[in-house]
Amino acid sequence: MNLLFLPALAFDKKWIVLGQSIWTRGIMFLMRTICGLKVEIRGQEYIPKGAGLIAAKHQSAFETMVFHALLKDPAMVLKKELLSIPIYGWYCKKTEMIAVDRNGHAAALKAMIKQAQDALSNDRPIVIFPEGTRSALDSDLPYQPGIAALYSKLDTPVTPMALNTGVFWPRKQFVCKPGTIIIEFLPPIPAGLKRKDFMAQLKDTIEPKTKELVEEGRKAHLS
């Protein structure tokens, strides 16, 4: 499917966006039919209909795909090195993902904010993984400054997102386990909080709900 849409790189990016959506839905179909792995989306009323900022838990490769099926033309915050990957990186460039140089410090944050402002002005939802990487189940990674910078500079509410994907598709593993992945969008955190208060509220919202969903997934998988 990725190879099929290569010619679309020469045309408007809407064709690549369409391809990403079709590809993601195809992956979800194969997960369901071959692996017995379904996906349940909760809190859909909190999903931004256009411009918005989503802070998502990140436990597996699935989170890098699913937003293409849930959102219209999402702008994903990703590490700049991914742009160098053949085909995948080409698609990310074409669809104007928000690439961040992790070694760029203040300049990198400034560039990220500019790209994010452009995305919002084009009515695109932004997705960022606050931990900056996939986390192992039951781990407690710190939230990186990128989400705080976006929250303060964009002056927009943040929709937290919890999940239990790591139960069924662990990081660094290719094989999926049967069951039901649960992805839950939570009530937005309003704009205007102090940085420290926002970061505390974000983590205190995502982490307990994630633990709850992980436990739910584990019980269902063992039953």
Side-chain angles (χ1 to χ4, degrees):
M1 183 67 74
N2 278 335
L3 294 175
L4 182 64
F5 275 86
L6 275 176
L9 288 169
F11 301 97
D12 191 279
K13 79 164 194 172
K14 67 180 181 181
W15 300 110
I16 300 298
V17 172
L18 174 63
Q20 289 171 327
S21 177
I22 294 173
W23 178 73
T24 299
R25 294 177 191 280
I27 292 293
M28 293 171 69
F29 172 78
L30 293 175
M31 287 167 50
R32 185 171 62 252
T33 56
I34 297 177
C35 304
L37 182 56
K38 303 176 183 178
V39 180
E40 178 184 347
I41 308 298
R42 298 177 181 174
Q44 295 189 47
E45 66 272 23
Y46 301 124
I47 299 177
K49 299 300 186 291
L53 182 55
I54 296 172
K57 186 70 177 177
H58 193 16
Q59 292 180 341
S60 79
F62 187 61
E63 292 87 75
T64 64
M65 313 174 200
V66 69
F67 288 104
H68 297 296
L70 299 178
L71 305 174
K72 181 181 179 181
D73 192 16
M76 309 284 293
V77 178
L78 46 78
K79 55 185 179 182
K80 190 175 181 180
E81 302 94 283
L82 294 178
L83 299 183
S84 300
I85 299 176
I87 303 178
Y88 177 81
W90 303 341
Y91 288 148
C92 288
K93 288 180 181 179
K94 185 70 175 183
T95 54
E96 300 173 343
M97 296 304 174
I98 301 174
V100 179
D101 181 357
R102 289 182 172 181
N103 298 317
H105 306 295
L109 283 177
K110 184 176 180 180
M112 179 186 68
I113 291 167
K114 175 62 170 63
Q115 293 176 76
Q117 289 171 331
D118 291 342
L120 290 184
S121 67
N122 288 313
D123 203 32
R124 300 176 66 194
I126 298 167
V127 179
I128 184 171
F129 303 118
E131 294 161 301
T133 188
R134 284 176 289 178
S135 60
L137 289 176
D138 304 319
S139 65
D140 184 21
L141 298 181
Y143 282 20
Q144 301 301 315
I147 179 59
L150 289 179
Y151 174 76
S152 61
K153 297 298 182 180
L154 298 179
D155 191 30
T156 187
V158 172
T159 300
M161 194 192 87
L163 43 72
N164 65 0
T165 54
V167 175
F168 306 99
W169 192 347
R171 65 180 192 143
K172 299 182 181 179
Q173 292 188 28
F174 180 74
V175 179
C176 299
K177 301 175 183 179
T180 300
I181 284 175
I182 301 172
I183 291 175
E184 184 165 352
F185 292 87
L186 304 165
I189 297 174
L193 298 180
K194 293 181 179 179
R195 177 190 178 109
K196 183 178 180 180
D197 294 337
F198 163 71
M199 292 294 278
Q201 184 171 338
L202 182 65
K203 190 160 188 175
D204 289 346
T205 299
I206 293 177
E207 297 305 318
K209 176 56 69 172
T210 292
K211 289 180 180 179
E212 180 183 317
L213 297 179
V214 165
E215 185 62 23
E216 182 177 345
R218 282 171 168 162
K219 288 181 179 179
H221 180 63
L222 294 174
S223 63

